[in-house]
């Protein structure tokens, strides 16, 4: 069998990639070794930027309909509120954090993918692959014991933290596993008024984070001590263990009942240096794993593939040079590095144990959270709206007016254009005038045919298919636009 893209892994990241590639008309296959989707609530939060990006395939509305909108995060110290972040001021069509268990996110993504005519091949495991430089030959194992060879142009490892693709590429997963033990409970709480808030409570003996999921159902995460060695494993918690933590740390007390999922974990913070090896790519947990404290793991993975998909599609459709794919890792790797740094810091701050350190933390946090610009910065960071590819090789030289190259463009993503056969297109924002004929003749297949209204009157912008700005120039500077596309097509880079 031959295909253009073989996606290994049908978790949230693989499913998102499959939806994007299906939308762009790329022939592909998606496999997963597991017999069914996860039934665990694992990643609970979908942030604004992920919903914006998923809006282009029109799956966001299905997710929003199924989820629970949370508009704020309250931080308290010793059961007293010291600050609150609100999402409702975010300049996004999705000014909230959407609480949706990962099992539901995956179900909705898979049903949507099925509607696009693509099925996940389950109980099919990637065993090995050989990259010839021209193509990849992948060896797959089926549940009935048979093996199959698949020839694919590109192979994408969305196969999670223990990624086979990463192992086969021989890539180091740099980082460490912390020895702090965490308790995770997906439970129901009795007599607790439902608030549309995430609560992070710092206590002298540790942190308790509470996330509303649905009526009376909550996710609870708490640190419960430190192990002396990485081999010592904490036993699975019981409802009584959860109650002990709640009795100590939950303001006003709460009674835990009806456990949906009880688990313990240690935080892994790891990342590969380069997300590409020849014709194979890594995305999601296969490329980076973080502390779940910031709720960014799955979101970062989904955004990895929204970055990769349009580039793969342009290359498969023969509209751009394969060099374009070299920009995937330089754009996405710094994003995961920043997430690692921030979530690592949030975790250290939350778990500081000495009294002086705790007093200093509580005082500083209350000061910082009292400042409106700091709150705005933190909300944008949490909603992932401040992610930008500021040093990308895909940014045109120079910047005129904001949004500058690499920055998120303030557009509704559902307006993201596609051309013949589904190939992704760049959008142009400028004064009402026609795109010069010679530009259309040379690069018409890459461009949306008409100019959209400018963000401010004097400027001209080119916006990438994933909604990031590629070029900002003076109104009428079509030469800059022409040079940009010339470089993208021939060198896969703007420089
Ligand atoms: C307790 C917990 C809480 C979390 N909370 C959050 C949160 O609030 N927000 C957030 O963003 N993230 C959170 N995360 C992280 C999130 O769950 C992961 O980042 C996410 O699942 C990664 O998705 P993925 O598709 O990359 O990998 P996975 O979900 O791991 O999927 C990988 C898939 O690949 C398949 N596979 C593996 N090897 C092969 C092979 N050789 N052949 C075929 N198939 C294969 C597997 O069966 C699996 O289905 C949390 C994680 C945990 C554990």
């Amino acid at each position: 069998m031959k295909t253009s893209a073989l996606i290994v892994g049908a978790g949230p990241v693989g499913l998102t990639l499959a939806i994007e590639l299906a939308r762009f008309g790329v022939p592909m296959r998606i496999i997963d070794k597991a017999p069914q989707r996860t039934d665990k609530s694992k990643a609970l939060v979908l942030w604004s930027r992920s919903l914006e990006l998923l809006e282009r395939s029109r799956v966001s509305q299905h997710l929003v309909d199924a989820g629970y909108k949370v508009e704020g995060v309250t931080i308290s110290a010793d059961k007293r509120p010291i600050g609150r972040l609100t999402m409702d001021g975010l300049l996004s069509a999705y000014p909230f954090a959407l609480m949706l268990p990962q099992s539901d996110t995956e179900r909705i993504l898979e049903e949507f993918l099925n509607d696009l005519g693509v099925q996940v091949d389950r109980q099919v495991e990637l065993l090995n692959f050989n990259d010839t430089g021209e193509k990849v030959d992948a060896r797959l194992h089926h549940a009935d014991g048979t093996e199959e060879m698949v020839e694919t142009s590109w192979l994408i490892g969305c196969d999670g933290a223990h990624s086979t693709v990463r192992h086969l590429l021989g890539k180091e997963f740099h980082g460490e596993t912390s020895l702090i033990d965490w308790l995770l409970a997906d439970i129901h709480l009795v007599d607790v008024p439902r608030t549309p808030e995430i609560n992070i409570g710092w206590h002298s003996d540790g942190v308790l984070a509470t996330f509303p999921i649905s009526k009376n159902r909550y996710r609870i995460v708490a640190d419960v001590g430190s192990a002396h060695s990485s081999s010592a494993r904490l036993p699975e918690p019981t409802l009584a263990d959860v109650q002990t933590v709640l009795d100590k740390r939950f303001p006003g007390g709460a009674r835990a009942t009806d456990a949906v999922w009880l688990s313990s974990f240690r935080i892994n913070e790891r990342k590969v240096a380069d997300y590409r090896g020849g014709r194979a790519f890594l995305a999601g947990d296969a490329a980076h794993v973080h502390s779940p404290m910031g709720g960014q793991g799955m979101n970062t993975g989904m955004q990895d593939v929204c970055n990769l998909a349009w580039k793969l599609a342009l290359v498969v459709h023969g509209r751009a040079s394969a060099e374009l794919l070299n920009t995937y890792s330089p754009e996405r790797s710094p994003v995961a590095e920043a997430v690692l740094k921030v979530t690592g810091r949030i975790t250290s701050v939350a778990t500081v144990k000495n009294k002086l350190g705790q007093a200093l933390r509580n005082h500083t946090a209350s000061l910082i959270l009292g400042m409106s610009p700091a709150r705005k910065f933190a909300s944008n960071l949490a909603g992932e709206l401040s992610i930008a590819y500021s040093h990308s090789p895909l940014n045109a030289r120079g910047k005129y007016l904001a949004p500058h190259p690499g920055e998120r463009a303030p557009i509704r993503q559902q307006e993201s254009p596609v051309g013949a056969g589904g190939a992704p297109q760049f959008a142009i924002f400028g004064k009402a005038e026609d795109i010069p004929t010679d530009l259309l003749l040379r690069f018409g297949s890459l461009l949306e045919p008409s100019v959209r209204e400018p963000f401010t009157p004097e400027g001209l912008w080119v916006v990438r298919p994933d909604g990031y700005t590629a070029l900002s120039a003076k109104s009428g500077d079509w030469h800059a636009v022409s040079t940009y596309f010339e470089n993208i097509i021939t060198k896969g880079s703007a420089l």
Side-chain angles (χ1 to χ4, degrees), residues 306-481:
C306 289
N307 181 295
L308 180 60
W310 67 269
K311 296 171 182 173
L312 267 177
L314 284 182
V315 172
V316 168
H317 284 294
R319 305 267 161 91
S321 139
E323 310 288 308
L324 181 61
L325 297 168
N326 288 338
T327 64
Y328 166 61
S329 186
E331 288 194 338
R332 291 306 301 171
S333 174
V335 173
E337 255 159 44
V339 172
L340 274 166
K341 232 181 249 169
V342 172
T343 56
R345 229 171 264 161
I346 294 174
T347 310
S348 320
V349 165
T351 53
V352 69
K353 283 289 171 307
N354 74 73
K355 296 273 176 243
L356 188 66
Q358 288 180 346
L360 192 67
R361 169 197 67 193
N362 300 352
H363 180 67
T364 315
S366 134
L367 277 181
I368 293 176
L369 292 168
M371 293 188 274
S372 158
R375 283 200 304 274
K376 192 172 168 200
F377 175 81
S379 304
N380 271 301
L381 192 69
E384 301 180 341
L385 297 180
S386 43
I387 291 172
Y389 305 131
S390 306
H391 304 289
S392 168
L394 277 182
N395 293 344
R397 266 182 221 280
K399 39 180 158 173
Y400 187 57
L401 294 170
H404 297 130
E407 292 174 356
R408 163 180 168 266
I411 52 166
R412 284 303 297 261
Q413 298 293 316
Q414 66 195 15
E415 294 158 7
S416 167
V418 289
Q425 291 182 321
F426 291 71
I428 297 194
F429 292 74
K431 266 209 310 245
E433 59 179 309
D434 290 336
I435 299 177
T437 317
D438 65 319
L439 194 67
L440 274 181
L441 280 174
R442 293 177 69 201
F443 307 115
S445 65
L446 286 174
L447 297 181
E448 194 184 22
S450 50
V451 178
R452 298 196 204 174
E453 221 175 279
F455 305 122
T456 35
E458 318 86 85
L460 177 67
W461 289 265
V462 174
V463 174
R464 303 166 15 159
D466 58 358
Y468 287 89
T469 311
L471 172 149
S472 108
K474 270 193 187 148
S475 184
D477 188 356
W478 292 104
H479 177 69
V481 178

